[in-house]
Amino acid sequence: MAAASFCDPCSEANKSLTATKYCSDCEERLCTDCGESHCRSKAFKTHHVIDLSAIGSNILISAKKNCNDHSEMILDYYCTDHEIVCCRACISNEHRLCQNVLPLELASKDVRKSALFNDVMEDITHLITTLNALDNNRQSNLQSIEKTKSTITKQIRAVKSKFLKQIDDLERELTTSLSSLQRKHEMEINKEKQEISQVLVNVIENKNEMNFLRDHGSKNQLFIFLRQQVTNIHSAEAKIQQMVSNSQEIDIIFDDKKDVKLESLGSLLEYVQPCKVQFKPKKFQQAQIMAKPMKNILGFEKDTVLKLNTNVVKNLLSVSVTDNNKLLITSTSSSALKLYVYRDCKEYETEIIFSSAPYCVDVIPGTDRAVITLPNAKSIQFINTTTMTKGDNVKVGFTCHGITAGREMIYVGGKSGTIKTLDTNGTILKSIHHGSNCIYFIAYDDIHDHLIVRCVGKLLCVKLDGTLVYSKDVSGVADA
């Protein structure tokens, strides 16, 4: 294909004429003359030719015209049995037995108004919305981590300050102890020095007196003094011996902790939780062409007959079957506080007694849990269907009767047309209302994401946002 500004057919003839039109069927840009000739040609009358001035050079067409398996063949048929666009070679090789193969022109008729177009557009819009929300969530997470970093840095500094304060406190404690030890030993040693000084003074005085008597005293005086000094010397020796034995060499040393290690100021923990953005792929609705007409249910065949004790089970209110093929039954009876359990949907196994009369029961798909309504208690009760024991009791805030469960949500209906949506943990997410009639039974249509609601004299179909799909007048014992 030539440059975006030139006519493709003219470029092949080595002419450079500005393109003004675009044929989406041929995927070619056309000048004014080629465009007019293209539209006049009988072979191209059905082609979709658009004015380039309306779209500029931004031609957004990625759909391939040629078959992936037979690159030389054009996709010109649609097999509704297999819901696939194919070429003539595909038809002869793989779709010979298919009963509903249509020419692409017929299959694509009114495609812009078809359910397929709406569904694909809704799906793409849903994807864009989810991706934008996810991108915003990731950006928010980045900002949150940055903010958390700042907060944690301050916390680390605070912990550091605490450690430094503790070190300062320990230093003051050691310094105080050192001063106390110093004062203690100074007092003891000074006391000893006083004793030493006193003895020393006496001995020096005796020596001075002995020298004086030697030089100036009489012999008798000197002899008497010397005899006295023998006794004094004995006393002084004893005193000195005692002082020497009592004296100690005092030394204060610091025993520093060689293995002191500050291993950590704390630890960093990663708290991971599921993304707040939830994504549930939208289901493709039926396209404008039906592969086969819908077959009506003509009847049912009897499989298993379960005979109940009519003295106990009067009228059935609700039934549900678990993944391990156990039948759960609620009924109106004298023993209205019970849920009855039948093994393999035929043999009585056990019963569960509640504090309030149960009404409807439903099994949460793909789990070993069921949930049951307790109207008088304005609550629902979870049940473990493996052990057949009661689980959490959740207050829903209104008189509830009907209940139905999907894989992700639980829907509870009851007084004044109230329908509350809960997650499978029992958290109430939202509430909608439909009229003032009490809702006795409710069922979830997981194909269309609709709720089938049974009131007195009415059968309703509503979307999960509360939009009414249809309403029919009905009668029967299900009025409750």
Side-chain angles (χ1 to χ4, degrees):
M1 186 176 288
S5 57
F6 297 112
C7 172
D8 292 322
C10 291
S11 296
E12 292 178 1
N14 295 321
K15 298 179 182 179
S16 299
L17 294 178
T18 303
T20 59
K21 304 286 185 180
Y22 180 78
C23 177
S24 58
D25 295 277
C26 296
E27 297 184 6
E28 285 188 332
R29 292 174 175 83
L30 306 169
C31 65
T32 303
D33 292 339
C34 290
E36 292 176 356
S37 176
H38 200 81
C39 294
R40 286 195 301 267
S41 175
K42 187 175 182 180
F44 304 135
K45 277 191 177 295
T46 59
H47 284 202
H48 190 64
V49 178
I50 55 179
D51 195 335
L52 280 176
S53 62
I55 61 172
S57 60
N58 190 24
I59 300 173
L60 303 175
I61 298 179
S62 62
K64 296 180 179 180
K65 295 193 304 178
N66 294 80
C67 178
N68 288 332
D69 297 328
H70 311 96
S71 57
E72 74 284 357
M73 303 295 290
I74 295 177
L75 297 170
D76 49 8
Y77 285 95
Y78 179 69
C79 176
T80 60
D81 292 344
H82 294 95
E83 296 185 347
I84 187 171
V85 180
C86 48
C87 69
R88 295 175 185 271
C90 291
I91 296 297
S92 60
N93 293 338
E94 301 174 15
H95 303 277
R96 288 179 297 174
L97 301 179
C98 297
Q99 300 296 316
N100 297 285
V101 178
L102 301 175
L104 193 57
E105 290 79 4
L106 179 59
S108 63
K109 184 181 179 181
D110 296 327
V111 67
R112 289 185 176 83
K113 300 178 181 179
S114 68
L116 177 62
F117 180 88
N118 293 333
D119 291 340
V120 172
M121 182 59 76
E122 286 182 4
D123 285 340
I124 291 175
T125 302
H126 178 56
L127 291 175
I128 293 172
T129 301
T130 302
L131 287 171
N132 285 332
L134 186 60
D135 184 65
N136 292 336
N137 175 271
R138 297 297 81 206
Q139 182 62 33
S140 176
N141 202 177
L142 285 175
Q143 294 172 351
S144 173
I145 292 173
E146 182 65 28
K147 184 178 179 181
T148 300
K149 177 187 175 183
S150 176
T151 301
I152 292 177
T153 300
K154 292 179 181 178
Q155 292 173 336
I156 292 173
R157 290 172 181 168
V159 173
K160 174 186 173 183
S161 298
K162 289 181 181 178
F163 274 109
L164 292 176
K165 183 178 182 302
Q166 290 180 6
I167 293 173
D168 290 340
D169 292 342
L170 291 174
E171 180 186 11
R172 281 193 295 272
E173 183 179 341
L174 282 173
T175 304
T176 302
S177 298
L178 178 61
S179 299
S180 178
L181 283 174
Q182 181 188 11
R183 287 193 300 271
K184 171 188 172 184
H185 292 299
E186 280 181 348
M187 291 176 62
E188 293 175 352
I189 292 174
N190 285 330
K191 183 178 179 181
E192 291 172 349
K193 283 173 61 65
Q194 288 179 354
E195 292 179 0
I196 292 170
S197 296
Q198 184 177 358
V199 173
L200 180 61
V201 167
N202 291 337
V203 172
I204 290 175
E205 288 179 352
N206 290 336
K207 179 181 178 182
N208 290 336
E209 185 176 354
M210 187 178 68
N211 288 331
F212 180 83
L213 290 175
R214 182 194 62 188
D215 296 333
H216 305 290
S218 65
K219 294 179 180 179
N220 290 339
Q221 289 175 325
L222 180 59
F223 181 80
I224 293 171
F225 177 78
L226 291 175
R227 296 309 308 175
Q228 291 175 345
Q229 288 306 308
V230 171
T231 303
N232 291 338
I233 288 173
H234 287 316
S235 297
E237 287 177 343
K239 182 68 174 178
I240 293 172
Q241 183 66 42
Q242 182 181 8
M243 288 190 297
V244 169
S245 63
N246 289 339
S247 297
Q248 294 177 328
E249 298 289 338
I250 304 297
D251 191 12
I252 300 174
I253 61 175
F254 176 59
D255 182 17
D256 59 326
K257 300 294 184 182
K258 305 296 184 184
D259 58 346
V260 171
K261 292 181 180 179
L262 184 59
E263 297 290 347
S264 173
L265 297 181
S267 60
L268 297 175
L269 304 177
E270 291 182 277
Y271 178 60
V272 181
Q273 59 182 347
C275 179
K276 293 180 180 178
V277 177
Q278 295 185 353
F279 176 66
K280 183 179 180 182
K282 285 185 172 290
K283 298 178 177 64
F284 275 97
Q285 303 299 319
Q286 220 166 18
Q288 76 277 15
I289 298 176
M290 299 292 295
K292 292 182 181 179
M294 185 70 72
K295 293 183 178 180
N296 294 325
I297 298 175
L298 301 178
F300 296 92
E301 293 183 1
K302 182 170 65 176
D303 184 0
T304 302
V305 177
L306 176 62
K307 293 185 178 181
L308 303 175
N309 186 344
T310 55
N311 293 325
V312 177
V313 181
K314 296 295 185 183
N315 296 318
L316 295 182
L317 279 176
S318 175
V319 296
S320 188
V321 180
T322 67
D323 285 349
N324 54 357
N325 207 31
K326 292 184 180 180
L327 181 65
L328 310 180
I329 298 176
T330 61
S331 73
T332 57
S333 66
S334 58
S335 303
L337 300 180
K338 297 179 180 180
L339 171 75
Y340 301 94
V341 182
Y342 285 80
R343 182 172 54 254
D344 296 327
C345 294
K346 57 184 178 181
E347 296 179 2
Y348 172 81
E349 179 176 300
T350 186
E351 57 191 34
I352 303 175
I353 301 176
F354 297 89
S355 59
S356 180
Y359 197 88
C360 279
V361 63
D362 198 18
V363 173
I364 302 176
T367 72
D368 60 353
R369 303 165 70 212
V371 63
I372 194 168
T373 54
L374 307 174
N376 294 333
K378 298 182 178 180
S379 66
I380 62 173
Q381 182 94 43
F382 286 92
I383 302 168
N384 186 311
T385 56
T386 300
T387 60
M388 287 302 164
T389 54
K390 292 183 289 186
D392 293 336
N393 183 284
V394 177
K395 295 291 184 181
V396 294
F398 74 112
T399 303
C400 53
H401 292 90
I403 192 165
T404 184
R407 291 185 179 274
E408 299 177 358
M409 300 294 173
I410 298 171
Y411 306 95
V412 185
K415 187 177 180 181
S416 301
T418 300
I419 300 175
K420 289 195 176 183
T421 303
L422 299 80
D423 62 20
T424 52
N425 293 319
T427 302
I428 298 176
L429 303 177
K430 67 177 182 179
S431 178
I432 60 176
H433 295 273
H434 263 286
S436 59
N437 291 332
C438 183
I439 297 174
Y440 290 102
F441 297 96
I442 186 171
Y444 172 59
D445 175 4
D446 61 347
I447 301 297
H448 302 93
D449 265 354
H450 290 167
L451 296 175
I452 309 302
V453 178
R454 185 74 161 88
C455 302
V456 176
K458 290 282 187 183
L459 182 68
L460 309 175
C461 177
V462 299
K463 294 183 179 180
L464 299 185
D465 61 1
T467 304
L468 180 65
V469 178
Y470 65 78
S471 172
K472 292 185 178 181
D473 295 328
V474 293
S475 61
V477 295
D479 290 348

